[in-house]
Amino acid sequence: MTSHSLRYIISVLYFLSILPIFAETIGVGSNPVAAVVYEKKLYVVNSDSNTVSVIDTVKKEVKTTIPVGLKPLSATDVGKSVYVGNSEGSTMTVIDTQKDEVSMTINIPKGLVYIFSSGIYIYAVGNDHITVVDATKNIIHRTTPTK
């Protein structure tokens, strides 16, 4: 298991353990479905609100809410960016974690269901393909059929 995989698992477990607390006391958007921990912030993906709530984990409050694409379902981080997979519209929103704002949107061909990362690559999984995005350049490296 790579250190990034372990970090992702810890992030998910952390998110699942604090979700009820944040949902009740902090008030994130509608239908929180995923989260990424980056430094002292938690990026919560709100699927029905089409937003990401940025939570200051020290102050336990929403720092800002960032609009993303339609029906975001997953997120991952690479470097100083958080990537959000938007299932409707097949896009990936890139959030600059220093400014907590959208830096760009990447169109993913052939649909998007889920994203995850390994090293400098983000993998956008669709129904019958995987698109690999190079996070150092934020460009599509390749799309490979899975059937």
Side-chain angles (χ1 to χ4, degrees), residues 56-134:
D56 180 321
T57 58
V58 175
K59 295 180 181 177
K60 295 181 176 63
E61 64 186 21
V62 175
K63 180 179 172 189
T64 190
T65 301
I66 304 168
V68 294
L70 299 175
K71 213 59 161 167
L73 293 178
S74 55
T76 190
D77 64 314
V78 176
K80 294 182 179 182
S81 296
V82 169
Y83 294 79
V84 179
N86 307 301
S87 64
E88 291 182 15
S90 300
T91 62
M92 206 177 339
T93 302
V94 183
I95 297 172
D96 178 328
T97 57
Q98 304 306 302
K99 298 178 182 177
D100 288 332
E101 61 185 36
V102 174
S103 60
M104 71 180 305
T105 300
I106 302 169
N107 290 315
I108 303 297
K110 301 185 180 190
L112 174 69
V113 177
Y114 186 80
I115 65 170
F116 66 94
S117 62
S118 178
I120 63 165
Y121 296 105
I122 298 115
Y123 298 86
V125 179
N127 290 324
D128 60 357
H129 67 282
I130 297 174
T131 298
V132 181
V133 175
D134 180 336

Side-chain angles (χ1 to χ4, degrees), residues 26-39:
I26 294 179
V28 297
S30 180
N31 193 21
V33 293
V36 172
V37 176
Y38 182 83
E39 294 181 352

